[in-house]
């Protein structure tokens, strides 16, 4: 019934309600085979040909595996494994990798508006967790490193700043979202190269993790990139990041690309 309604809405050019659509995507447990394609935008899209990020590797370990959100476009998987190697060589980590995307991307029933097209990933700021078995990586504390007045916690360190720089300093990266207090700290530090600071964008609710978003992979014609960030480092007059406030008004349902309906309806492997 759910998919029949979704198909009807697509045929009429309508978007289905978010909870209904999100539930459908969350129920799919396997990727679609074939060539990898990021379809649509990070906040209204889906993913075909996804790959699973191995649950651990040099420099990283994936947490909250029970969510089944460790899938991404192969470009994202390669990015994370390369980043893990760089972090390991820098003596940082293992870092904790949070959500990527669902097996076929698409809207999630909780936790994110984006992460739909397989090019987004959350990386926790917590750096004190030793390698753990997969079944012990659920329910770990995620300390907030910015207080209500926009001040960095004393636990914020040069290692955290180095983590953000290594995450951003890759030509495949479009943006890295962090709290404004973190952006100010990064801007105040001395760096041999500062071009990567342009990609660091202040955003609410990013005071305990950083959120990396990659550019659309070359040749992925159905993928929609965000506009480039404004020129410059973005270090002038950084406003405090507003605290997230729950809205009493329902958000409008996203209009997914028509191709996503086929991705959702393909038989489970």
């Amino acid at each position: 019934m759910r998919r029949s309604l979704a198909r009807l809405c697509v045929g009429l050019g309508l978007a289905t309600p978010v909870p209904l659509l999100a539930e459908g995507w969350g129920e799919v447990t396997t990727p679609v085979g074939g060539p990898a394609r990021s379809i649509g935008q990070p906040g209204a899209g889906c993913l075909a040909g996804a790959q699973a990020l191995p649950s651990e590797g040099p420099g990283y370990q994936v947490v909250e595996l029970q969510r089944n959100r460790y899938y991404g476009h192969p470009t994202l998987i390669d990015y994370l494994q390369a980043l893990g190697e760089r972090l390991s060589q820098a003596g940082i980590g293992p870092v904790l990798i949070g959500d990527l995307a669902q097996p076929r991307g698409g809207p999630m029933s909780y936790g994110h508006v984006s992460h739909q097209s397989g090019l987004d990933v959350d990386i926790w700021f917590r750096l004190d967790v030793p390698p753990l078995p997969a079944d012990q990586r659920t329910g770990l504390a995620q300390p907030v490193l910015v207080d209500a007045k926009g001040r960095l916690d004393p636990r914020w360190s040069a290692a955290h700043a180095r983590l953000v720089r290594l995450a951003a300093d890759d030509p495949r990266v479009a943006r890295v979202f962090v709290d404004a207090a973190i952006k100010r700290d990064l801007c105040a530090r001395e760096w041999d190269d500062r071009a990567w600071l342009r990609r660091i964008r202040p955003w609410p609710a990013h005071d305990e993790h950083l959120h990396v978003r990659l550019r659309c992979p070359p040749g992925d014609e159905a993928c929609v990139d965000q506009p480039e960030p404004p020129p410059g480092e973005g270090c002038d007059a950084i406003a405090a990041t507003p605290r997230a406030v729950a809205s009493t008004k329902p958000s409008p349902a996203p209009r997914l690309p028509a191709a996503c309906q086929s991705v959702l309806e393909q038989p489970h492997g």
Side-chain angles (χ1 to χ4, degrees):
M1 175 66 179
R2 180 182 302 115
R3 291 185 182 174
S4 297
L5 176 59
R7 185 162 45 246
L8 174 62
C9 290
V10 169
L12 294 174
L14 303 175
T16 58
V18 172
L20 184 67
L21 187 58
E23 184 182 352
W25 289 92
E27 290 174 354
V28 179
T29 59
T30 58
V32 169
R37 293 181 296 143
S38 287
I39 301 169
Q41 307 174 50
C46 59
L47 175 64
Q51 290 184 2
L53 177 67
S55 62
E56 61 269 323
Y60 79 89
Q61 52 188 336
V62 182
V63 296
E64 306 293 346
L65 290 159
Q66 80 284 355
R67 294 189 182 194
N68 202 33
R69 294 178 176 180
Y70 45 80
Y71 292 86
H73 190 283
T75 299
L76 180 62
I77 304 305
D78 180 75
Y79 163 82
L80 285 170
Q81 291 177 319
L83 176 61
E85 293 276 4
R86 295 169 71 195
L87 291 169
S88 181
Q89 293 169 9
I92 301 172
V95 296
L96 305 181
I97 304 295
D99 288 348
L100 284 71
Q102 298 173 137
R104 303 185 188 186
M108 298 180 182
S109 60
Y110 66 93
H112 306 283
V113 174
S114 60
H115 289 253
Q116 295 190 30
S117 61
L119 297 173
D120 292 71
V121 60
D122 288 343
I123 302 174
W124 290 21
F125 283 132
R126 189 170 177 188
L127 300 177
D128 63 344
V129 179
L132 295 174
D135 61 1
Q136 295 182 24
R137 297 186 221 143
T138 298
L140 295 173
Q142 197 172 4
V144 172
L145 297 182
V146 181
D147 69 17
K149 295 183 178 180
R151 298 173 301 198
L152 279 173
D153 187 276
R155 289 170 292 183
W156 178 262
S157 68
H160 292 101
R162 179 72 170 155
L163 163 61
V164 179
R165 189 220 171 131
L166 288 172
D169 202 8
D170 185 305
R172 295 173 289 189
V173 172
R175 283 169 170 74
V176 176
F177 300 105
V178 298
D179 190 272
I182 294 171
K183 170 80 175 188
R184 283 195 295 271
D185 176 86
L186 296 171
C187 288
R189 292 177 181 266
E190 296 291 333
W191 303 100
D192 57 339
D193 170 41
R194 299 177 63 87
W196 57 275
L197 286 166
R198 180 186 182 196
R199 303 182 190 121
I200 308 299
R201 314 307 298 176
W203 203 256
H206 288 75
D207 45 18
E208 19 78 316
H209 74 280
L210 61 103
H211 174 167
V212 178
R213 175 169 297 158
L214 300 189
R215 304 175 189 278
C216 288
D220 221 335
E221 296 181 357
C223 182
V224 180
D225 264 323
Q226 282 186 268
E228 287 291 317
E233 298 175 0
C235 291
D236 297 332
I238 302 170
T241 304
R243 301 293 98 184
V245 177
S247 174
T248 58
K249 296 181 180 180
S251 299
R255 190 185 299 274
L256 298 182
C260 288
Q261 194 62 34
S262 173
V263 171
L264 177 61
E265 293 184 339
Q266 287 194 39
H268 294 205

